[in-house]
Amino acid sequence: MAKRVGLLKKSTRPAVWGLTLPDLSSLSISSVAPLFSMAAAGQLLVQLAGAEVLWAIFAVAIPFVFSSWIFRLLNHHFPNAGASYHWSRRVLGRRVSQFQSWILMMAYFWSIPPIMIPAAEQSLSLLGIARPGAWDVVGFSLLWISFAATVLLLGSRVTARVTQMFLLAEVLGVTAMMVIGLGHWHPVIMTPADNTAHLSVRWQHIVIAMVVAATIVDGWEIDSYAAEEATKPRITPGTGGIIGALMVLAYYGLSWSVMLHNVPLFVLESHRDVLMTWAQMVIPSVQRWALIPILASTAGSLWLTTFILSRALFAMGRDHILPSVLTRFNRFKAPIWAVITPSFVAFGIVCVNLLWTSITSWFNLVLSSAGFFLVLEFLFDSITASVFLSRQHRMSLPHGFDGHQHRFLQIISWITSLWLLTMTGFFLIYGGQVIGKGMDGVVGTLLLAGLVFVLIQRKHEGLETLFIFEPETVMMKTSSPKQ
């Protein structure tokens, strides 16, 4: 079947080009949300890894930093709003990309409710409501998801500006934590009885902590999903992600070092919010106001996680893997239904989770599976890069025919693939034992649902298309699925 080539229409591109490298970098840093991530996952990480929590974070952060260089390479050759899903389609084929699209949806969708609930609870705490009822949390969750959707529906430029304002509050909070924390530095205290005691941590727990840590070191890849909205689609997406990944790694290194040397380990283990615990012990007179930068971090993470998912859904709708209604824009050139649909479906999940307590434990296992799917998503990306560099790069534009090779990137893509594959394997073996007996069933069910999703796509092969974004010519190529 012959290719059809035509001018790029408004209905096939997310927005007018306008995001610069500073915009993309700020999106990448804010999307990781260091303060929120520490507040939300800190207790579980300490319970799993003990004093080795920082090493567990670094152990998963290193392949993620490697992945940021891989993302830059893939962005250079295949800039697209679908990012990971699109790269897989171009390199590994239609079937693999269909399964990866499911993994991508699971990774980012199940990351939204665990952000929405803390945003509501932190807002209520800031108002002086220490023990809010379920309906209070539901009401404030609705306010926050509505605000997040509004920011996204005003377009990518407005999203970047609002994000930068919230990021400023977070950066000031992290800076204050560093300065104050260094003034209260002391050796790590393991137990209340003996500050030299060694907290016994099984290596299986550290591996699971690495998977949990994946949820706090991801997000920098948002600039890849904004590739079609960047001023330089082949250059700045990926570069912004590298900056974001390295900055966040520095944040975590400093923040966790301060926390572990300011607060006894057994105290961190026994309190749900480790950041507020730190503030209460180190700056008790103003500890309530420490919620402001944490809430700013949480809010930014909420709409930026939704941003990633909305661009992926838009690209899948454009290729007819998902309903084409997801490609419709409002007057601000934002994909309206790709934003609204996941936002309010996630709000529905929050309502069910909070109001029907009989199934709360099951939902918590589902929400906890997001870390596994994030690691699996990055595993597919590393494999995509490995195959691309090994088989296709020499024939790929824009500069593949000049004969150069990326030997270093090829090596780290295989190392990262093996690293992440090992992590997913250990999680499948030990995740149920460490997190909860139902985790194996939840992950297995969601993976099986992904295979069903792929089988359903076989019935619509005649409708599926492939949209190739070419920034140099501002043109789009549409090819049949078999090409």
Side-chain angles (χ1 to χ4, degrees), residues 112 116 140-150 302 306 342-344 346-347:
I112 297 175
M116 203 184 308
F140 271 79
S141 295
L142 179 59
L143 289 176
W144 270 116
I145 198 62
S146 299
F147 177 73
T150 301
L302 179 59
T306 309
S343 296
F344 290 97
F347 173 68

Side-chain angles (χ1 to χ4, degrees), residues 33-45:
L35 288 180
F36 159 68
S37 300
M38 291 176 66
Q43 182 191 30
L44 179 58
L45 287 172

